[in-house]
Amino acid sequence: MKFIVKVRLKKGILDPQGKTVNQALHHLGYPQIQDVRIGKFIEVEIEESDPQKARRILEEASQRLLANPVIEDYDIQPEESEP
Amino acid sequence: MKFIVKVRLKKGILDPQGKTVNQALHHLGYPQIQDVRIGKFIEVEIEESDPQKARRILEEASQRLLANPVIEDYDIQPEESEP
């Protein structure tokens, strides 16, 4: 099964990387762009036929390695739900 | 309007960061995880009421700054389509 884990900074946490990209876009001539926030998404192929078990494994892996739960939120979705 | 730009390595391009995460997950005790690929997603708030124009701006910004079109694919979606 394939899952996507999306990791993004929690609301209210400053995103200096996003701010820098935002400024760079202004310099390149896109003043319409108001705000940029950058997250990551992790495509995981997992050998586990039970979707609930697979999700539990990924939940644990996200807590332990993929995300920093202090400042980041994560969201786990089977890839089918992505267009 | 809010858009999400997803940037990921093209198929066939090696992803050393994903490989490292994959190995780390094995060491942490998740042998079920077969493959990991890491991309980024960029949430952009844009002041432009015409969705087609907004998309054109983001298309250009992706080509010029957000993605490296030589090795990365990108995909632009209005945020409404994300759950």
Side-chain angles (χ1 to χ4, degrees), chain A residues 17-30:
Chain A
Q17 194 190 357
K19 217 179 167 80
T20 305
V21 169
N22 198 1
Q23 284 168 356
L25 287 169
H26 287 181
H27 289 305
L28 283 174
Y30 307 106

PDB file of all heavy atoms in Angstrom, chain A residues 17-30:
ATOM      1  N   GLN A  17      11.718  29.755   6.073  1.00  0.00           N
ATOM      2  CA  GLN A  17      11.960  29.303   4.699  1.00  0.00           C
ATOM      3  C   GLN A  17      10.848  29.843   3.772  1.00  0.00           C
ATOM      4  O   GLN A  17      11.122  30.380   2.702  1.00  0.00           O
ATOM      5  CB  GLN A  17      11.971  27.768   4.673  1.00  0.00           C
ATOM      6  CG  GLN A  17      12.540  27.175   3.409  1.00  0.00           C
ATOM      7  CD  GLN A  17      12.312  25.654   3.307  1.00  0.00           C
ATOM      8  OE1 GLN A  17      11.771  25.026   4.229  1.00  0.00           O
ATOM      9  NE2 GLN A  17      12.714  25.072   2.194  1.00  0.00           N
ATOM     10  N   GLY A  18       9.609  29.721   4.243  1.00  0.00           N
ATOM     11  CA  GLY A  18       8.483  30.240   3.463  1.00  0.00           C
ATOM     12  C   GLY A  18       8.586  31.746   3.275  1.00  0.00           C
ATOM     13  O   GLY A  18       8.312  32.272   2.194  1.00  0.00           O
ATOM     14  N   LYS A  19       8.993  32.442   4.318  1.00  0.00           N
ATOM     15  CA  LYS A  19       9.115  33.897   4.244  1.00  0.00           C
ATOM     16  C   LYS A  19      10.165  34.285   3.200  1.00  0.00           C
ATOM     17  O   LYS A  19       9.973  35.227   2.426  1.00  0.00           O
ATOM     18  CB  LYS A  19       9.527  34.423   5.622  1.00  0.00           C
ATOM     19  CG  LYS A  19       8.864  35.745   5.963  1.00  0.00           C
ATOM     20  CD  LYS A  19       9.264  36.237   7.345  1.00  0.00           C
ATOM     21  CE  LYS A  19       8.862  37.676   7.538  1.00  0.00           C
ATOM     22  NZ  LYS A  19       7.452  37.865   7.885  1.00  0.00           N
ATOM     23  N   THR A  20      11.270  33.557   3.194  1.00  0.00           N
ATOM     24  CA  THR A  20      12.337  33.838   2.240  1.00  0.00           C
ATOM     25  C   THR A  20      11.854  33.621   0.811  1.00  0.00           C
ATOM     26  O   THR A  20      12.117  34.434  -0.085  1.00  0.00           O
ATOM     27  CB  THR A  20      13.546  32.917   2.518  1.00  0.00           C
ATOM     28  OG1 THR A  20      13.916  33.087   3.877  1.00  0.00           O
ATOM     29  CG2 THR A  20      14.709  33.242   1.631  1.00  0.00           C
ATOM     30  N   VAL A  21      11.137  32.517   0.593  1.00  0.00           N
ATOM     31  CA  VAL A  21      10.597  32.241  -0.745  1.00  0.00           C
ATOM     32  C   VAL A  21       9.611  33.339  -1.142  1.00  0.00           C
ATOM     33  O   VAL A  21       9.619  33.829  -2.275  1.00  0.00           O
ATOM     34  CB  VAL A  21       9.926  30.851  -0.777  1.00  0.00           C
ATOM     35  CG1 VAL A  21       9.131  30.648  -2.061  1.00  0.00           C
ATOM     36  CG2 VAL A  21      10.979  29.755  -0.641  1.00  0.00           C
ATOM     37  N   ASN A  22       8.795  33.762  -0.190  1.00  0.00           N
ATOM     38  CA  ASN A  22       7.834  34.834  -0.450  1.00  0.00           C
ATOM     39  C   ASN A  22       8.548  36.110  -0.910  1.00  0.00           C
ATOM     40  O   ASN A  22       8.174  36.723  -1.916  1.00  0.00           O
ATOM     41  CB  ASN A  22       7.037  35.095   0.846  1.00  0.00           C
ATOM     42  CG  ASN A  22       5.752  35.857   0.593  1.00  0.00           C
ATOM     43  OD1 ASN A  22       5.426  36.187  -0.538  1.00  0.00           O
ATOM     44  ND2 ASN A  22       5.010  36.148   1.649  1.00  0.00           N
ATOM     45  N   GLN A  23       9.603  36.473  -0.189  1.00  0.00           N
ATOM     46  CA  GLN A  23      10.356  37.671  -0.569  1.00  0.00           C
ATOM     47  C   GLN A  23      11.007  37.505  -1.934  1.00  0.00           C
ATOM     48  O   GLN A  23      10.993  38.411  -2.764  1.00  0.00           O
ATOM     49  CB  GLN A  23      11.422  37.977   0.484  1.00  0.00           C
ATOM     50  CG  GLN A  23      10.824  38.599   1.746  1.00  0.00           C
ATOM     51  CD  GLN A  23      11.800  38.638   2.899  1.00  0.00           C
ATOM     52  OE1 GLN A  23      12.923  38.120   2.788  1.00  0.00           O
ATOM     53  NE2 GLN A  23      11.398  39.224   4.013  1.00  0.00           N
ATOM     54  N   ALA A  24      11.555  36.324  -2.173  1.00  0.00           N
ATOM     55  CA  ALA A  24      12.202  36.067  -3.473  1.00  0.00           C
ATOM     56  C   ALA A  24      11.177  36.212  -4.592  1.00  0.00           C
ATOM     57  O   ALA A  24      11.478  36.760  -5.664  1.00  0.00           O
ATOM     58  CB  ALA A  24      12.818  34.680  -3.483  1.00  0.00           C
ATOM     59  N   LEU A  25       9.952  35.741  -4.364  1.00  0.00           N
ATOM     60  CA  LEU A  25       8.910  35.849  -5.390  1.00  0.00           C
ATOM     61  C   LEU A  25       8.548  37.313  -5.630  1.00  0.00           C
ATOM     62  O   LEU A  25       8.308  37.717  -6.771  1.00  0.00           O
ATOM     63  CB  LEU A  25       7.670  35.038  -4.980  1.00  0.00           C
ATOM     64  CG  LEU A  25       7.859  33.519  -5.085  1.00  0.00           C
ATOM     65  CD1 LEU A  25       6.718  32.778  -4.409  1.00  0.00           C
ATOM     66  CD2 LEU A  25       7.952  33.071  -6.548  1.00  0.00           C
ATOM     67  N   HIS A  26       8.548  38.121  -4.577  1.00  0.00           N
ATOM     68  CA  HIS A  26       8.311  39.555  -4.777  1.00  0.00           C
ATOM     69  C   HIS A  26       9.403  40.162  -5.629  1.00  0.00           C
ATOM     70  O   HIS A  26       9.133  40.913  -6.561  1.00  0.00           O
ATOM     71  CB  HIS A  26       8.225  40.279  -3.426  1.00  0.00           C
ATOM     72  CG  HIS A  26       6.954  39.996  -2.685  1.00  0.00           C
ATOM     73  ND1 HIS A  26       6.646  40.540  -1.460  1.00  0.00           N
ATOM     74  CD2 HIS A  26       5.899  39.211  -3.008  1.00  0.00           C
ATOM     75  CE1 HIS A  26       5.452  40.102  -1.064  1.00  0.00           C
ATOM     76  NE2 HIS A  26       4.995  39.287  -1.984  1.00  0.00           N
ATOM     77  N   HIS A  27      10.646  39.795  -5.341  1.00  0.00           N
ATOM     78  CA  HIS A  27      11.761  40.333  -6.118  1.00  0.00           C
ATOM     79  C   HIS A  27      11.688  39.894  -7.575  1.00  0.00           C
ATOM     80  O   HIS A  27      12.118  40.613  -8.475  1.00  0.00           O
ATOM     81  CB  HIS A  27      13.112  39.910  -5.518  1.00  0.00           C
ATOM     82  CG  HIS A  27      13.410  40.603  -4.222  1.00  0.00           C
ATOM     83  ND1 HIS A  27      13.422  41.970  -4.089  1.00  0.00           N
ATOM     84  CD2 HIS A  27      13.691  40.121  -2.988  1.00  0.00           C
ATOM     85  CE1 HIS A  27      13.693  42.304  -2.834  1.00  0.00           C
ATOM     86  NE2 HIS A  27      13.866  41.195  -2.147  1.00  0.00           N
ATOM     87  N   LEU A  28      11.154  38.709  -7.803  1.00  0.00           N
ATOM     88  CA  LEU A  28      11.045  38.222  -9.184  1.00  0.00           C
ATOM     89  C   LEU A  28       9.862  38.856  -9.920  1.00  0.00           C
ATOM     90  O   LEU A  28       9.652  38.603 -11.104  1.00  0.00           O
ATOM     91  CB  LEU A  28      10.880  36.700  -9.200  1.00  0.00           C
ATOM     92  CG  LEU A  28      12.131  35.864  -8.961  1.00  0.00           C
ATOM     93  CD1 LEU A  28      11.757  34.381  -8.862  1.00  0.00           C
ATOM     94  CD2 LEU A  28      13.143  36.048 -10.086  1.00  0.00           C
ATOM     95  N   GLY A  29       9.055  39.647  -9.198  1.00  0.00           N
ATOM     96  CA  GLY A  29       7.956  40.343  -9.861  1.00  0.00           C
ATOM     97  C   GLY A  29       6.596  39.708  -9.669  1.00  0.00           C
ATOM     98  O   GLY A  29       5.739  39.786 -10.553  1.00  0.00           O
ATOM     99  N   TYR A  30       6.387  39.064  -8.521  1.00  0.00           N
ATOM    100  CA  TYR A  30       5.060  38.518  -8.218  1.00  0.00           C
ATOM    101  C   TYR A  30       4.526  39.103  -6.911  1.00  0.00           C
ATOM    102  O   TYR A  30       4.470  38.410  -5.895  1.00  0.00           O
ATOM    103  CB  TYR A  30       5.107  36.983  -8.125  1.00  0.00           C
ATOM    104  CG  TYR A  30       5.720  36.330  -9.338  1.00  0.00           C
ATOM    105  CD1 TYR A  30       6.997  35.785  -9.283  1.00  0.00           C
ATOM    106  CD2 TYR A  30       5.017  36.271 -10.540  1.00  0.00           C
ATOM    107  CE1 TYR A  30       7.568  35.198 -10.409  1.00  0.00           C
ATOM    108  CE2 TYR A  30       5.583  35.680 -11.661  1.00  0.00           C
ATOM    109  CZ  TYR A  30       6.862  35.140 -11.580  1.00  0.00           C
ATOM    110  OH  TYR A  30       7.413  34.564 -12.678  1.00  0.00           O
TER     111      TYR A  30
END
